[in-house]
Amino acid sequence: MAFLVLAHLGDDTALGVSAALRRKHGPEQVKLVSAEELVLAPFWAHRLDESGVTTEVRLSDGTAVSPRSGDVVFNRLVAPPLPQYAKASPGDRDYASCEITALWLSWLASLRCPVVNPPGPAGLGAPALSQSEWLHAAGAAGLPIQAYQFTTDPRWTPVSSDYSPSEPGGDSGPGRRRPTVYVEKLGGPRTVALVAGSTVHGPLAFLFKEQLARLALATHCDLLRVTFGRSSTPSDVGAAGRGW
């Protein structure tokens, strides 16, 4: 196994990456493992002592998950699913989630091979930032960003028609007392930039190469996709980023 892809069920990005790797390197070199398979694995052994860290993981199909130093891990894990604790109390589920997350964090941090989206203080992989946090980070990196407004009570805060709730159709619409982020509406076609390490790809790479690289570094993203759209003000460009 040369490539290990860790992801949740229904992750189209992980499926696409796995398919591309199989076409290029052969199916025997790629293993896609779901978060559900990991959490339901019948055997886990994770040992930490003076000599180092050793981990043994065997999945239900008998596969041993043991990345070697020459392998590459593409990590898309966000949080452990807990199907086996569906009927447990909320407190027990929270405890189980914390314990499994700690196990996965320690395991991923101990791997001696390259890990794309390594674990860190913000979680198991790429940082799970809100849209306003991404916009703030993009602005700090020097990118032109999509304008946004925040209110603790949308019932009494007038918002321009040029803005819409960042969670359309959710509980944050007008008439509900809940902290709400309104983002500027963008028009026209979208343009995507992809940051891989220090390399930037996309039509706008020549304009924002340094800024995009700074954003990826600041958010600890080995891979970063940033979407640009035309602002409501013709002379401006809005940018909204998402890690992964």
Side-chain angles (χ1 to χ4, degrees), residues 66-86:
S66 55
R68 297 163 295 184
S69 59
D71 295 338
V72 175
V73 175
F74 183 36
N75 175 28
R76 299 275 296 175
L77 298 175
V78 177
L82 301 172
Q84 69 273 55
Y85 298 105

Side-chain angles (χ1 to χ4, degrees), residues 149-160 174 182:
Q149 298 179 1
F150 176 80
T151 176
T152 57
D153 191 343
R155 298 177 302 169
W156 311 114
T157 305
V159 178
S160 167
Y182 290 89

Side-chain angles (χ1 to χ4, degrees), residues 13-235:
T13 297
L15 292 173
V17 169
S18 298
L21 289 173
R22 289 190 175 102
R23 287 193 298 270
K24 185 173 183 178
H25 300 281
E28 70 283 352
Q29 296 296 313
V30 183
K31 180 64 176 178
L32 173 62
V33 177
S34 71
E36 288 73 13
E37 288 179 289
L38 277 180
V39 82
L40 295 174
F43 183 84
W44 266 91
H46 184 67
R47 303 178 180 89
L48 294 82
D49 54 35
E50 295 82 359
S51 61
V53 183
T54 58
T55 306
E56 298 177 65
V57 184
R58 287 199 297 271
L59 305 179
S60 297
D61 64 0
T63 300
V65 181
S66 55
R68 297 163 295 184
S69 59
D71 295 338
V72 175
V73 175
F74 183 36
N75 175 28
R76 299 275 296 175
L77 298 175
V78 177
L82 301 172
Q84 69 273 55
Y85 298 105
K87 296 183 178 180
S89 67
D92 286 342
R93 284 198 303 273
D94 288 345
Y95 178 80
S97 179
C98 289
E99 289 294 311
I100 296 172
T101 298
L103 171 63
W104 287 6
L105 280 169
S106 182
W107 170 55
L108 290 168
S110 72
L111 296 178
R112 298 180 179 179
C113 62
V115 178
V116 179
N117 294 329
L124 288 169
L129 303 181
S130 67
Q131 186 172 10
S132 57
E133 288 175 312
W134 275 114
L135 291 170
H136 177 76
L143 287 165
I145 64 169
Q146 183 181 21
Y148 63 97
Q149 298 179 1
F150 176 80
T151 176
T152 57
D153 191 343
R155 298 177 302 169
W156 311 114
T157 305
V159 178
S160 167
S161 60
D162 292 331
Y163 289 73
S164 60
S166 62
E167 300 177 5
D171 292 335
S172 58
R176 294 182 181 271
R177 184 176 182 178
R178 175 178 171 175
T180 303
V181 176
Y182 290 89
V183 292
E184 178 188 11
K185 296 177 182 178
L186 300 180
R190 302 293 193 267
T191 302
V192 174
L194 179 65
V195 187
S198 60
T199 304
V200 181
H201 302 274
L204 295 179
F206 74 99
L207 280 178
F208 302 117
K209 181 178 180 179
E210 294 182 2
Q211 296 92 325
L212 288 166
R214 282 200 297 268
L215 177 61
L217 182 64
T219 54
H220 307 287
C221 287
D222 295 318
L223 289 176
L224 179 67
R225 183 179 63 191
V226 178
T227 302
F228 292 84
R230 182 65 60 182
S231 170
S232 56
T233 303
S235 61

